[in-house]
Amino acid sequence: APSPLPSLRPTYIPTFVPTSAPSPLPSPRPTDTPTSIPTFLPTNIPTPSPSFVPTPIPTINCEQGTYLSEENGCVACPVGQFANGTGLAPFPNECTTCAAGKFASSTGNNICDVCSVGRKSNEKRDSCDTCGAGEYSYLDLECKKCDEGKYAPVPLADDCLTCVAGFYVNTVNTSGVYYSETGSTACSSCDIGYDSDEGSSSCDLAADDYYFSLHDEASSLVSVPCIKNAQCVGRTQVPIPNMGYWVDRSSYTYIDSIHKCIRETCAPSSSSLSDDKNNIYNSSSVNYNCWSLSFYNQSSSSTAFRNNNNTTTTTITTTQCDSDLLQCLEGSQGPLCGSCSDGYTYQTDTRTCQSCSNVNNLNISYFVISSIL
């Protein structure tokens, strides 16, 4: 029920019950949407999310191959560089130089292209330089000439090809002395009578059925065909006398002179040779190394020899390479194996040296048999 008297002052908001007198101004009503400026009264429903504040400049979106500069916004990478961004924030703030062996010839690259085989990227990384024949690209940074014993018919990568056995890289032959040139484009075949190992820069071995001999005034070694009554296995081996022949091993100057033995007392190492010389001749054996040039060049009582593949070492002594041990049958010694050793005597029927004890036993047996008869 209305109050008996009016209220002393108007209320700011409507009351739940009528006042005794009207308010001086209409009371505001709640709005359904947000007002442009805050109101003293809450809205009927809240806004779904805060409103966005406008940005002072347009939104930035740098593409791949560009980087974000504080001064210039999105900038394309220059030649020789790249930026591998995704096109979404955060954006790269700089470009990266292409790695060795790669290049970028245009601007705005997100990846670098790869140089083709035998080429290297230049310092600016904007193109690839081509190596020449006889060269290879080293770590994609520089062109290097092929090493001695190797060749490249076209520019290659990482390394050059290796000359196979019997071939060598381009060399110049002057007065029997070979010197190698690097940067070769092909391997040349060795001259007749000469041979080489794989990857050689010169033909410094004798071919099969040849040997090195002192055959000129300069006393340099020249590969010549094997001499009569001997066998030659090439490489650096000297001629080995056939069965029944002998050679003076006291000096290399005598290796060309093969002599026939007067007695049946000569049996050099060549008696074990067959047509398949490579299998019979073990390069790590004592006999093989004793008939090598290295034996004549040694300056000590023992010498270390490398096998054909240069993988194992065999050490031999001058005692093991004794001429009588290599060329004479047991009990024989000296030039042409023509004398008998101590404790041996020459038997005319066999033309060999026999042990004195064996001869005495044989004579005793002959005497006993004769007495019985």
Side-chain angles (χ1 to χ4, degrees):
S3 57
L5 295 174
S7 58
L8 298 176
R9 297 181 59 187
T11 58
Y12 290 103
I13 57 175
T15 58
F16 293 102
V17 294
T19 58
S20 58
S23 59
L25 295 174
S27 61
R29 297 182 57 189
T31 57
D32 295 328
T33 58
T35 58
S36 58
I37 58 174
T39 59
F40 294 101
L41 298 176
T43 57
N44 288 337
I45 54 174
T47 56
S49 62
S51 60
F52 293 101
V53 177
T55 57
I57 58 175
T59 303
I60 295 176
N61 186 24
C62 292
E63 298 179 353
Q64 291 181 327
T66 64
Y67 70 99
L68 180 59
S69 169
E70 293 183 359
E71 296 83 9
N72 303 314
C74 297
V75 180
C77 291
V79 293
Q81 299 184 13
F82 73 102
N84 58 355
T86 61
L88 300 175
F91 306 107
N93 55 12
E94 62 180 351
C95 295
T96 303
T97 301
C98 295
K102 297 183 178 182
F103 70 101
S105 58
S106 60
T107 60
N109 284 279
N110 64 323
I111 60 172
C112 296
D113 296 320
V114 180
C115 294
S116 58
V117 175
R119 307 187 70 183
K120 67 177 184 68
S121 52
N122 62 11
E123 185 176 354
K124 294 181 179 180
R125 301 291 194 271
D126 59 358
S127 64
C128 295
D129 295 335
T130 303
C131 298
E135 297 180 332
Y136 67 98
S137 59
Y138 177 70
L139 299 179
D140 299 322
L141 292 174
E142 60 178 318
C143 294
K144 281 192 172 184
K145 292 183 179 296
C146 296
D147 296 332
E148 296 179 4
K150 297 185 177 183
Y151 70 103
V154 295
L156 299 176
D158 300 328
D159 202 355
C160 296
L161 303 175
T162 301
C163 294
V164 298
F167 289 78
Y168 68 109
V169 296
N170 293 338
T171 59
V172 178
N173 185 346
T174 304
S175 300
V177 179
Y178 288 85
Y179 63 90
S180 175
E181 294 179 347
T182 59
S184 297
T185 60
C187 292
S188 302
S189 176
C190 295
D191 293 336
I192 295 176
Y194 292 86
D195 199 3
S196 68
D197 284 328
E198 180 179 332
S200 296
S201 60
S202 63
C203 294
D204 54 0
L205 301 176
D208 195 19
D209 293 325
Y210 282 77
Y211 73 100
F212 285 114
S213 176
L214 297 172
H215 266 246
D216 60 4
E217 296 180 357
S219 297
S220 60
L221 296 177
V222 179
S223 181
V224 297
C226 195
I227 55 181
K228 187 178 179 180
N229 301 317
Q231 296 190 54
C232 301
V233 296
R235 301 189 67 80
T236 59
Q237 305 307 108
V238 301
I240 304 176
N242 288 335
M243 184 70 174
Y245 290 84
W246 181 89
V247 66
D248 186 353
R249 288 174 46 83
S250 62
S251 172
Y252 188 78
T253 57
Y254 303 139
I255 65 170
D256 304 292
S257 301
I258 304 296
H259 305 278
K260 182 174 177 59
C261 296
I262 300 174
R263 299 176 174 181
E264 299 295 331
T265 52
C266 294
S269 300
S270 60
S271 61
S272 64
L273 289 177
S274 69
D275 292 335
D276 189 2
K277 299 175 185 178
N278 290 330
N279 289 334
I280 295 298
Y281 247 71
N282 182 359
S283 61
S284 63
S285 68
V286 171
N287 284 347
Y288 182 91
N289 293 314
C290 288
W291 294 98
S292 169
L293 281 175
S294 301
F295 169 77
Y296 292 91
N297 296 331
Q298 65 177 325
S299 58
S300 60
S301 59
S302 63
T303 302
F305 294 89
R306 303 291 295 183
N307 68 356
N308 292 348
N309 297 324
N310 204 36
T311 55
T312 58
T313 302
T314 300
T315 301
I316 64 172
T317 63
T318 52
T319 303
Q320 291 174 297
C321 291
D322 179 75
S323 180
D324 294 339
L325 183 64
L326 291 174
Q327 299 191 85
C328 302
L329 292 176
E330 181 181 355
S332 304
Q333 64 179 11
L336 300 176
C337 302
S339 60
C340 294
S341 305
D342 292 341
Y344 287 82
T345 184
Y346 181 69
Q347 292 293 105
T348 56
D349 55 340
T350 61
R351 302 180 65 193
T352 59
C353 294
Q354 298 293 326
S355 172
C356 292
S357 59
N358 292 339
V359 172
N360 291 335
N361 292 336
L362 181 61
N363 290 336
I364 293 174
S365 300
Y366 177 77
F367 176 78
V368 172
I369 293 174
S370 299
S371 300
I372 294 175
L373 295 178

